Amino acid sequence: MKLRKVTAVSAVVLALAVSATACGSDDKKDEGSSGGGKKIAIGIKYDQPGLGQKTPQGYSGFDVDVAKYVAKKLGYNENQIEWKESKSADRETMLQRGDVQFIAATYSITPKREKKVDFAGPYLLAHQDVLVRADDSSIKSPADLNSKKLCSVTGSTSAQNIKDSLAPKANLLNYPTYSACLTGLQNKAIDALTTDDSILAGYASQDQFKGKFKLGGLRMTNENYGIGVKKGSDLKAKINKALEDMVSDGSWEKAVKANFGPANYQYEKAPKIGDIKS
């Protein structure tokens, strides 16, 4: 009888020990703001070649390379990254809810967004530009877009911005995707595609489009890409330090050339942390 009681007590102690061990090895992502946790969730775009793209082989693009570098500096290996799609309309909400620790997804720093989230960076200065056929030399300034068929994606304000202030006689065409615009450009159904030059360079760098298009180099706006973090997060300072290291050790320029090189992208030099171009 005594033996049974001892055995029962031992079983309870053993069960508690196993439970405690299991709790201690929980594989959930780190909830704090420092590196070294089991996982880190990072937001990127899934559908922007050259910047953030999900493929059968994994994730690729300049934003992805930047995110990997930053994560490593924070103490996370690539296999500890949990990638999450961050659509433009969802980015602030994802950060506020804590769905991701940071977002690197062609995320332009603006006063409106800074009211809701904090930004590290900028890490790339992009500009609104146009993409034209490689043999087209008729568009050398924004005014040359007058009477031209100008394409952008449905819901984007890029083309409308040009019509409102730079080329009021431009013929605006909205296509569902950038890829559809590129097909139209290739078939001469449109004359130019407009959005950020980094995005245009990424699309033009795809194997099926190499050598067929070129950037206009118009630089109509400044787009300061930053890494978004939750308001008040101490990750901002740590990410800024990582971005400075990425520039100083040559990794930043290597990533730019690897992702945008085929489009002959005339990129700006790496911006200084906190230097926001209006």
Side-chain angles (χ1 to χ4, degrees):
M1 190 70 174
K2 289 181 180 180
L3 180 59
R4 289 180 180 176
K5 288 182 178 180
V6 171
T7 302
V9 170
S10 299
V12 171
V13 171
L14 179 60
L16 289 173
V18 170
S19 177
T21 301
C23 290
S25 62
D26 189 3
D27 195 41
K28 69 180 181 179
K29 66 178 180 291
D30 183 23
E31 298 295 339
S33 297
S34 60
K38 293 296 181 182
K39 294 284 184 182
I40 183 169
I42 302 174
I44 57 170
K45 290 291 182 67
Y46 277 14
D47 59 352
Q48 289 185 339
L51 286 153
Q53 186 178 29
K54 182 179 180 180
T55 71
Q57 292 73 40
Y59 302 88
S60 64
F62 179 69
D63 283 347
V64 174
D65 289 345
V66 170
K68 288 178 181 177
Y69 187 97
V70 169
K72 187 173 182 179
K73 287 290 184 176
L74 294 176
Y76 298 91
N77 294 321
E78 189 173 334
N79 60 6
Q80 293 175 294
I81 297 174
E82 181 183 353
W83 299 108
K84 292 194 174 184
E85 183 176 16
S86 297
K87 296 180 180 179
S88 295
D90 300 333
R91 291 178 296 202
E92 284 84 37
T93 301
M94 292 180 72
L95 288 169
Q96 291 168 338
R97 287 192 312 224
D99 296 340
V100 292
Q101 276 61 64
F102 68 82
I103 291 177
T106 58
Y107 203 0
S108 295
I109 302 171
T110 67
K112 182 178 179 180
R113 289 170 178 163
E114 287 183 305
K115 292 178 180 179
K116 299 179 180 179
V117 300
D118 285 340
F119 285 97
Y123 64 91
L124 184 71
L125 177 59
H127 308 278
Q128 185 179 347
D129 200 356
V130 294
L131 194 71
V132 298
R133 288 181 292 278
D135 60 356
D136 185 354
S137 58
S138 66
I139 300 174
K140 298 178 181 178
S141 72
D144 293 331
L145 293 168
N146 282 307
S147 302
K148 297 287 189 179
K149 295 176 182 178
L150 181 63
C151 185
S152 193
V153 298
T154 303
S156 170
T157 60
S158 298
Q160 191 64 48
N161 289 342
I162 292 176
K163 187 174 180 67
D164 288 345
S165 59
L166 299 171
K169 295 182 180 180
N171 181 12
L172 302 189
L173 298 172
N174 289 317
Y175 281 33
T177 64
Y178 289 118
S179 295
C181 283
L182 283 168
T183 299
L185 185 59
Q186 187 173 358
N187 296 336
K188 299 186 178 181
I190 62 172
D191 300 307
L193 161 62
T194 186
T195 187
D196 294 358
D197 54 7
S198 59
I199 297 174
L200 295 173
Y203 275 97
S205 295
Q206 296 179 95
D207 289 341
Q208 67 268 38
F209 296 130
K210 285 180 181 177
K212 295 181 179 179
F213 307 115
K214 64 182 179 182
L215 289 161
L218 304 186
R219 297 188 173 183
M220 293 175 280
T221 64
N222 291 326
E223 304 296 337
N224 303 273
Y225 290 175
I227 293 181
V229 298
K230 190 173 184 178
K231 199 76 175 172
S233 172
D234 64 357
L235 273 181
K236 177 179 176 178
K238 296 174 182 179
I239 293 174
N240 277 335
K241 178 61 170 63
L243 292 174
E244 289 176 339
D245 290 345
M246 188 176 188
V247 173
S248 64
D249 70 14
S251 298
W252 183 91
E253 188 164 3
K254 181 180 179 181
V256 170
K257 290 180 177 178
N259 290 290
F260 302 127
N264 195 29
Y265 179 33
Q266 301 299 311
Y267 58 90
E268 298 268 15
K269 67 179 182 179
K272 299 289 185 182
I273 298 301
D275 183 14
I276 310 299
K277 303 293 186 184
S278 59

